[in-house]
Amino acid sequence: MITLGEYIIEKQHQFPDATGELTQLLGAIRLAAKVVNREINKAGLVDIIGATGVENVQGEVQQKLDLYANEKFKAALEARGEVCGVASEEEDEFVSFDSSRSIDSKYVVLMDPLDGSSNIDVNVSVGTIFSIYKRISPCGTPAVLEDFLQPGYRQVAAGYVVYGSSTMLVYTTGHGVHGFTCDPSLGVFYLSHENMTIPDDGVIYSINEGNYLKFPTGVKKYLKYCQEIEPETNRPYTSRYIGSLVSDFHRNLLKGGIYIYPSTASAPEGKLRLLYECNPMAFLIEQAGGKASDGFTRIMDIEPEELHQRVPFFCGSTHMVETVEGMMREYS
Ligand code: AHG
Ligand code: MN
Ligand code: MN
Ligand code: MN
């Protein structure tokens, strides 16, 4: 039984130029995950359910837990000296931490502090997503927008927390994907899934079919393909859609499958945000042997233009993603 902290230190040698900062940074995320997990586990008993009545920059009504998680992750990251600033789904602009507190703040973090907000009040699993880069601007100065607008292939680490039947933290630093499960009696994350890999093919597809009429033709063709009766290719596939990207992603990572949030007539860029949902999940899925694109272009090659930009998202087992990409090209 090895803990998250012990594992990161054991693997530290894989990070020649990080003299422990990344270890500290992941430790801050672990701490905030425990604090948020505690509130989620008693959501019905404390005033953490429901909306704040405030709209965020996304045009969504912020849930109390969105804000609670945002504050806790920001505070945990600011308390450590490794991070010079944070960008968040729940913050209009990036937040630059006081540069006088540490000349060694080499990293920036982008995060979705609470993913799957629509599930909070109905006791369905939610998550947190984080993405970590080396800053571009000089240490000792305030963070700048360019520190956050980096393409996904420059991430140094990414991961998520899934607050599900058990609470897990799954991360990659570019050396495989590793999952840790929290023992609630001790509040300790133990290694439970080392070197997670996604099957090359699968029979699960995750998409909000309520938007079917607004989908691009290539997606409609793929959904019909999934539903055709052809036992020799294990079709029809199974539809599973939880409404939390983290939960759908995690199940597909373990069992094989594809998650799709395409462009629609009403949302031409789709719904998911490139910097703190698609890029971290793309880093993870590629490290696990899968694929992530916008239907045409590798997610991690997309040059970001603004903090909250949205992109269509196709992510999961390589064969499934390549099948729908073929249909997107054919019918585009
Ligand atoms: P968030 O709660 O962080 O805003 O993200 C919600 C995302 C994603 O988690 C989920 O898969 C998707 O939105 C659900 O969107 P629809 O309700 O439109 O299907
Ligand atoms: Mn989200
Ligand atoms: Mn969110
Ligand atoms: Mn949201």
Side-chain angles (χ1 to χ4, degrees):
M1 293 279 274
I2 182 170
T3 68
L4 172 58
E6 289 161 347
Y7 190 82
I8 297 168
I9 290 168
E10 182 188 294
K11 301 293 178 185
Q12 184 61 48
H13 66 277
Q14 292 170 349
F15 260 82
D17 63 342
T19 53
E21 286 102 332
L22 202 61
T23 303
Q24 291 295 328
L25 208 175
L26 288 169
I29 289 172
R30 175 187 56 202
L31 172 63
K34 290 181 191 176
V35 171
V36 171
N37 182 46
R38 185 183 58 193
E39 283 310 287
I40 288 173
N41 286 344
K42 53 185 183 183
L45 302 174
V46 293
D47 182 23
I48 203 78
I49 273 185
T52 61
V54 175
E55 204 174 84
N56 63 11
V57 68
Q58 320 288 340
E60 302 164 347
V61 175
Q62 280 179 323
Q63 301 299 299
K64 289 176 187 168
L65 201 53
D66 282 327
L67 288 189
Y68 181 86
N70 189 56
E71 291 311 312
K72 294 306 176 189
F73 275 92
K74 255 192 331 185
L77 291 167
E78 181 157 28
R80 308 288 179 100
E82 300 77 27
V83 178
C84 66
V86 165
S88 166
E89 178 196 353
E90 306 306 335
E91 301 280 350
D92 295 10
E93 309 298 333
F94 67 87
V95 176
S96 177
F97 294 151
D98 174 2
S99 51
S100 64
R101 66 195 172 76
S102 169
I103 187 77
D104 296 333
S105 302
K106 288 196 307 200
Y107 298 99
V108 293
V109 176
L110 297 99
M111 67 178 181
D112 176 358
L114 208 287
D115 175 67
S117 304
S118 63
N119 286 332
I120 296 167
D121 294 6
V122 294
N123 200 12
V124 171
S125 60
V126 293
T128 296
I129 308 171
F130 58 90
S131 171
I132 303 171
Y133 292 84
K134 276 265 184 69
R135 70 182 301 176
I136 290 175
S137 55
C139 287
T141 63
V144 295
L145 186 56
E146 287 67 32
D147 291 323
F148 299 94
L149 296 183
Q150 300 186 54
Y153 62 80
R154 287 218 206 107
Q155 292 175 91
V156 294
Y160 59 84
V161 183
V162 50
Y163 309 98
S165 43
S166 68
T167 297
M168 280 191 69
L169 190 151
V170 177
Y171 82 94
T172 184
T173 57
H175 300 276
V177 177
H178 312 293
F180 299 79
T181 301
C182 185
D183 176 335
S185 64
L186 298 172
V188 175
F189 282 96
Y190 288 101
L191 179 65
S192 54
H193 299 68
E194 188 169 24
N195 291 315
M196 298 175 82
T197 54
I198 186 169
D200 276 340
D201 206 348
V203 296
I204 294 171
Y205 66 98
S206 307
I207 188 169
N208 183 342
E209 294 192 68
N211 296 319
Y212 179 83
L213 293 177
K214 299 187 278 185
F215 285 156
T217 305
V219 171
K220 290 179 178 174
K221 294 289 184 188
Y222 183 68
L223 292 179
K224 288 305 155 214
Y225 170 82
C226 292
Q227 293 154 8
E228 281 166 355
I229 300 173
E230 192 182 84
E232 56 271 26
T233 54
N234 302 311
R235 289 182 286 148
Y237 291 158
T238 294
S239 171
R240 286 285 184 274
Y241 192 67
I242 297 172
S244 295
L245 167 62
V246 169
S247 305
D248 283 312
F249 179 97
H250 186 73
R251 182 207 49 249
N252 293 350
L253 171 59
L254 291 167
K255 295 191 167 185
I258 185 169
Y259 174 99
I260 302 175
Y261 208 106
S263 62
T264 63
S266 51
E269 296 308 314
K271 173 181 185 180
L272 298 187
R273 283 60 53 125
L274 172 63
L275 292 180
Y276 41 80
E277 288 175 312
C278 301
N279 268 334
M281 296 320 230
F283 190 12
L284 286 160
I285 207 74
E286 288 196 7
Q287 281 292 310
K291 196 168 185 192
S293 77
D294 64 2
F296 303 96
T297 305
R298 179 186 181 230
I299 288 291
M300 291 210 281
D301 286 342
I302 296 173
E303 283 293 338
E305 288 162 11
E306 68 95 16
L307 218 43
H308 301 289
Q309 80 182 70
R310 300 169 194 261
V311 290
F313 193 52
F314 298 70
C315 176
S317 295
T318 299
H319 180 70
M320 298 179 87
V321 174
E322 289 177 348
T323 302
V324 65
E325 286 174 338
M327 295 180 186
M328 292 297 284
R329 282 192 297 273
E330 183 179 352
Y331 294 97
S332 61

